Amino acid sequence: MIEAVIKAFGHILTLKVLLMILAGLFGGLISGALPGLTATMAVALLVPFTFSMDPTEGLIVLGAIYMACIYGGAFSAILVNTPGTPSSIGTTFDGYPMAKKGEGERAILVATYASVYGGIVGVIFLLFLSPPLANVALRFGPPEYFWMAVFGITIISSLASKNVLKGFLGGAIGLLISTIGIAPIGGDVRFTAGFPQLQGGIELIVALIGFFCIPEVLTMITERDKTFHIAETKHEKGILVRTFMEVMKRQGNLLRSSIIGTIVGILPGAGGSVANLVAYNEAVRVSKTPEKFGTGVIDGIIATESSNNAVVGGGIIPLVTLGIPGAPPDAILYGVLLIHGLRPGPELFSMHSDIIFTFIMSLFVATIFMLPVGVISGRLLHRTVVRIPIRFLAPAIFFLTIIGSYSIRNNVTDVFIMLTLGVLGYVLKRLEFHPGPITLGLILGPIGEMGFVQALLMGQMLPNKWMIFFNRPLSWVLIVLSVVSLCWPLLIRQFAKGWKIKEM
Amino acid sequence: MKSAKWIVLLTVFALLVSFQTAAWAKFPEKPLTYVICFNPGGESDITARIQQKPLEKIIGVPVVIVYKTGGGGAVGWSEMMRATPDGYTVYGTNLPHTIVQPMTRGNAGYETEKVDNIYFFEFTPNILAVKADSPIKTVQEFVDFAKKNPGATVGGSGEPSANSLGTAAFAKLTGTKLTYISFTGSGAAVPALLGGHVVALMTYTSMAAEYPDKIRPLAVAAEKRAKALPDVPTFKELGFEYVEGAFRGVAVPPGTPGDVKKILEQAFAKVNQDPEVIKKMEDLGFIMEDYGEDASRTLVKKWTVYYGNLLKELGLLKK
């Protein structure tokens, strides 16, 4: 394998390929930072351009775009409180408060370092542990997906620790919205109010733009005197190195989040959108100061951004070993492989080892390149956004929300849905409902529903169909995780009270 | 005088000719949009991508692939009903989707008869498949297994779909009780089979071609064997009167002029003759078909009757 890796580096370290990686990175960064252009869309849009290239070069460009796009989502999450891709939802929780405090540049640097770290960890797993890890993807059946969704919902108890009831209510709203459209099993038409356009349901990214971005723009306009750009931006010397040291000191967080990202990436059907929230939850849980999360601490950004870039490598593991795409953009990479007559599986490694190792190593190189590219363009973007007066920034963002929500499915209906949800989001925000739990419900609704119904159907072969949820070891692991995750914040609070009493 | 008359006549003639050629040259003169109503990376996308380059060469303008996904294709097809009928936007269509959705949903946003198919270019038959290391080796063994284990699970793509209705039809034919479990696409059902979460798959030939060492196809639901799976018998050969699968074609918005449709129909027919297209499609398990506009109409009518009866028996008919 070492020989193959060295040979792969030989293919990559040519001016042409390096320039292609750079171009891919810039393209990915831009599409990532624009809400509405997800990694899946960005990769799909560029597939035709790769037809004229040989398969290796095509994969290299698409890989670089994918990696940078996931990272670029952090920019808009930090600067305008809108996740550029669903993989950066959790980044808004602490990134935006940091930007509001005038620490936007630091937040972007943290996101850059964490993304590069996570990306590298994912690629290392991909390179060395693909075959054993791929089987994890197969172990996960419908009952496990159901329990994973339950586990995901319990994250709310740490996301919304200040008001658990409102958190879970928000989650329930999200779950309800996710049922609009054609039922994933059975094909029933639900809650479309007679509009055939609603058969497609509410697209996640459309809801993200509505719930995160529109309330933010409305707040910008209504609270003009507290404007964001007035926030004093601290220009500190040595911020590059100091932030780097700060991030690297948190090895535990970095490694844990990257491994979470890799594993979630391996599971088909769950991608960065789930990984970043799970990683955030775990970071809150092990923290000694969980109450500080959400006020602008770098630990939150480290968790979300390292995990979502680890998803890239993780998602490719089942793709190249089994031909099963891990995360949504991998489905498009799979299509590209098939069109070029490359069939994923063991034969890909034996017969086309050249192509596959070059692709894996190019992901590695692209991740490293992300460091300078991200630092330069991230700081530039930050300085620009911060300097634009609100009277220009607010309409500009508003314009982008419309373009973004239209472009995801080329559908005008989505723009109206986005605006409706935006107004709803603004009202809910006023009532102190955080958009995080709502979007969590939206993401997990379909996964949980499908897992539940499919598992019950599987249970038809058992004497009691409900047993299907409790007769598998992996299910029990997830059940225990859910209970712990649900009770942990409450236990901590109890303990904290206990300690205070003792101190007195 | 006489020469002046000639000049006038010639001019008129020249003008007529130039008008005529102008009319011919009129279509297509700008890029063609090819709308795919399913996710990028799926089979509809892959077939369109295979056609894209040769199609560009034949009609002489760029072909842009755009995705309008949702509702199992219904979002895109209901939009097609309202799209400009100038021939510059063609939609990928699928059978039995465009037949069964309006039948089962009440208001799918379009009607089967309004989907103006100009060409069906391929057929993907159902296959019954098990895991490569499964003890079940033949269709008969599967039927025996299902009789011993009522409610045996069969995974497949979507519902109602060729897979789901095919499972129901096959269960009826063999007198077995099968539990169909729907997944969000052919690809999504594969890990469920490989992980042992379902006993078998009612899926498409393409899946057997894509996962040759992991999936064991037991039989193909086609009139003749698939080129990609020469060793797999058809259900008919084994004595089961069972043919079913999905057709892929292209349609234009209702009201598109006949001459424009003709140009597109001929272009897609020519793409289907391209040896490279044929090879790529057949390697992926698709069976090349050539149904022009009229033949497509007959095809849709034939399957409408079949699915109408099947859905009525299953109690799924809305209308």
Side-chain angles (χ1 to χ4, degrees), chain A residues 44 48 51 138-141 182 184-187 196 199-200 322-323 334 338-339 343 410-411 450 454 457-458 461 472, chain B residues 41 46 49 52 66-69 71 74-75 105 108-109 151 153 159 179-184 195 197 209-211 280:
Chain A
F51 283 151
L138 298 182
R139 286 288 189 95
F140 254 69
I182 301 293
I185 313 274
Q199 283 179 99
L322 299 167
Y334 181 51
L338 281 184
I339 288 170
R343 189 174 288 142
N410 299 303
N411 200 328
M450 251 191 296
Q454 287 172 342
L457 288 168
M458 277 171 70
M461 287 177 78
R472 298 151 69 108
Chain B
I46 291 177
R49 295 285 186 195
Q52 190 178 19
V66 166
Y67 306 95
K68 298 222 175 180
T69 60
V75 171
R105 286 185 189 173
T153 48
E159 194 174 2
T179 308
Y180 176 79
I181 304 183
S182 154
F183 291 84
T184 49
H197 308 295
E210 280 173 42
Y211 303 92
K280 278 184 176 171

Side-chain angles (χ1 to χ4, degrees), chain B residues 124-250:
Chain B
T124 322
N126 275 353
I127 54 166
L128 184 66
V130 291
K131 222 173 131 181
D133 56 8
S134 162
I136 299 168
K137 293 204 167 64
T138 62
V139 176
Q140 194 52 53
E141 281 175 25
F142 175 78
V143 172
D144 294 343
F145 176 88
K147 284 199 170 142
K148 260 183 238 143
N149 304 277
T153 48
V154 177
S157 164
E159 194 174 2
S161 65
N163 290 164
S164 80
L165 297 170
T167 307
F170 183 71
K172 202 182 75 181
L173 187 74
T174 53
T176 48
K177 188 175 169 281
L178 303 173
T179 308
Y180 176 79
I181 304 183
S182 154
F183 291 84
T184 49
S186 321
V190 174
L193 179 75
L194 302 184
H197 308 295
V198 294
V199 176
L201 291 186
M202 186 63 86
T203 183
Y204 298 112
T205 40
S206 47
M207 288 296 111
E210 280 173 42
Y211 303 92
D213 45 357
K214 299 191 185 74
I215 287 182
R216 177 191 297 149
L218 301 177
V220 182
E223 298 288 347
K224 52 181 195 278
R225 293 189 178 197
K227 286 235 172 82
L229 311 167
D231 303 327
V232 184
T234 63
F235 279 98
K236 279 195 161 174
E237 286 174 44
L238 301 172
F240 300 94
E241 268 307 310
Y242 176 55
V243 172
E244 184 153 23
F247 289 86
R248 278 195 184 79
V250 278

Side-chain angles (χ1 to χ4, degrees), chain A residues 182-197:
Chain A
I182 301 293
I185 313 274
D188 301 290
V189 184
R190 300 186 299 200
F191 306 124
T192 58
F195 293 106
Q197 296 92 325

